[in-house]
Amino acid sequence: LPAGLSQWFPALEVLDVSGTGLTEMGTELLSLPCLHTLLAKNNRLGGPGSLPKGLEQAPLARSLRVLNLSGNRFSEVPPALLQLRGLRSLSLGGNRLHGIPPDIQELHSLEFLYLGGNFITAIPPELAKLPSLRYLVLCDNKIQSIPPQLAQLHSLRSLSLHNNLLTYLPREILNLVHLDELSLRGNPLVVRFVRDLTYNPPSLQELAGRTIKTRNVPYAPSDLPESLVRYLSLASNCPNPKCGGVYFDSCVRQIKFVDFCGKYRLPLMHYLCSPECSSPFSSASQSSTSQSESDSEDEASIAAHRMQKVLLG
């Protein structure tokens, strides 16, 4: 950074030095008492001396609200950053981080934390002690599990966990009642459940029952044994609005990313009456819209009680 920066721009509030090839930021920063946004993306910061000494005692430590160091070469979160108690947004995506320090809990004002695109393998429970955190991005890492303590992040609105190594989610994740967005694609948890799904062909009794129900064949309790009358009363309507079929014991279980109750983007299990019902070549699923659009419309109309959450650990 140029010497005399604070003399030239004593009231500087926003500084963007992204993509300039910086390997270090000098002490000129420390004398910018009004600076609230510092963007230093896509540089070569990360080695010894990348950040100026005495940062935590400088006026900048109190004034800085937004710090973006994404696309650099940090292998750990610099301890000095954990002393910037006024930070509301911290971005360290696309670095070489292997972990999150427990002292992250000291950033009580933090609302946005971006750590995507690193090599992080675990999330410390202390992360849950950020009372103001609203957006947490941990995508494209190597995270294998989510600590149940994250359910304490009552202010959290968005949680991005896609492209990790997650095989399950803790039950406590459902306590994040204000969560508007939960991204989980690209994790083994979906692959595992899909691989385990099977479809058992319907029995002759079920085929007969389906015919009676779908064709509205009239019957009275006096016409059939009590067990068959009870069996016919257990028919479930296929949730595909373009189908109109029913099923009893035999159904196709599918997992799709759907909007659950208009809030969560979750992999949910839902039930269809037959494999043809979900086939893009089936007449039941043909429409003038694309297949993905059709799926979204179908899924939006499926009642919540027709679905089963499967990613509960």
Side-chain angles (χ1 to χ4, degrees):
L1 294 178
L5 185 63
S6 60
Q7 297 176 0
W8 298 338
F9 306 104
L12 189 66
E13 296 182 356
V14 179
L15 177 61
D16 188 350
V17 290
S18 301
T20 56
L22 279 179
T23 57
E24 63 179 53
M25 290 188 287
T27 57
E28 296 80 12
L29 279 177
L30 304 182
S31 51
L32 293 173
C34 300
L35 191 68
H36 60 71
T37 299
L38 175 58
L39 309 177
K41 303 178 293 181
N42 304 323
N43 283 298
R44 291 181 288 170
L45 301 168
S50 291
L51 301 180
K53 293 182 179 180
L55 178 61
E56 56 273 21
Q57 284 86 32
L60 184 63
R62 295 185 295 272
S63 66
L64 202 60
R65 298 291 180 265
V66 177
L67 177 60
N68 193 326
L69 296 173
S70 292
N72 281 283
R73 302 177 180 181
F74 290 100
S75 58
E76 62 178 16
V77 178
L81 299 188
L82 305 176
Q83 303 300 318
L84 304 179
R85 304 299 170 82
L87 270 187
R88 295 178 184 172
S89 175
L90 175 60
S91 300
L92 281 163
N95 277 275
R96 303 171 181 178
L97 304 179
H98 288 266
I100 305 172
D103 286 345
I104 195 79
Q105 63 182 317
E106 302 298 331
L107 301 179
H108 296 297
S109 300
L110 205 61
E111 299 178 6
F112 178 91
L113 179 59
Y114 190 104
L115 298 174
N118 283 287
F119 302 96
I120 297 169
T121 58
I123 302 172
E126 289 81 3
L127 190 62
K129 297 181 180 180
L130 296 176
S132 303
L133 195 63
R134 295 170 59 87
Y135 301 93
L136 177 58
V137 181
L138 296 168
C139 60
D140 299 291
N141 278 287
K142 299 181 181 298
I143 299 169
Q144 300 182 36
S145 63
I146 303 299
Q149 289 85 352
L150 283 196
Q152 300 170 18
L153 291 172
H154 300 301
S155 298
L156 202 63
R157 297 295 186 270
S158 177
L159 177 57
S160 296
L161 294 167
H162 51 272
N163 298 331
N164 275 285
L165 301 176
L166 297 171
T167 56
Y168 71 94
L169 292 181
R171 294 177 183 272
E172 290 80 1
I173 204 76
L174 297 178
N175 293 330
L176 296 173
V177 295
H178 298 295
L179 202 64
D180 294 321
E181 182 181 10
L182 175 58
S183 179
L184 295 168
R185 66 184 184 275
N187 278 283
L189 48 83
V190 180
V191 177
R192 177 164 62 92
F193 281 109
V194 171
R195 186 182 63 237
D196 293 343
L197 297 185
T198 59
Y199 173 66
N200 296 319
S203 63
L204 292 177
Q205 177 176 279
E206 175 154 351
L207 289 174
R210 290 188 180 197
T211 300
I212 291 173
K213 285 293 186 178
T214 56
R215 298 188 179 182
N216 295 316
V217 176
Y219 65 92
S222 58
D223 298 332
L224 299 171
E226 182 181 351
S227 59
L228 289 180
V229 173
R230 186 168 56 251
Y231 178 79
L232 289 172
S233 69
L234 299 176
S236 298
N237 293 319
C238 182
N240 185 350
K242 299 176 183 178
C243 174
V246 300
Y247 64 89
F248 293 86
D249 303 313
S250 177
C251 61
V252 175
R253 295 180 295 170
Q254 283 192 338
I255 293 177
K256 290 186 178 181
F257 284 89
V258 300
D259 291 320
F260 185 71
C261 299
K263 288 187 68 176
Y264 296 102
R265 191 71 175 168
L266 277 176
L268 300 179
M269 183 184 292
H270 67 157
Y271 304 89
L272 299 173
C273 63
S274 68
E276 290 76 15
C277 194
S278 59
S279 171
F281 303 105
S282 168
S283 59
S285 62
Q286 291 290 340
S287 72
S288 59
T289 60
S290 68
Q291 183 64 27
S292 60
E293 292 173 341
S294 175
D295 287 345
S296 298
E297 293 170 359
D298 295 346
E299 291 156 1
S301 65
I302 299 172
H305 73 275
R306 303 293 300 163
M307 298 185 182
Q308 175 184 343
K309 296 185 183 71
V310 296
L311 303 177
L312 301 181

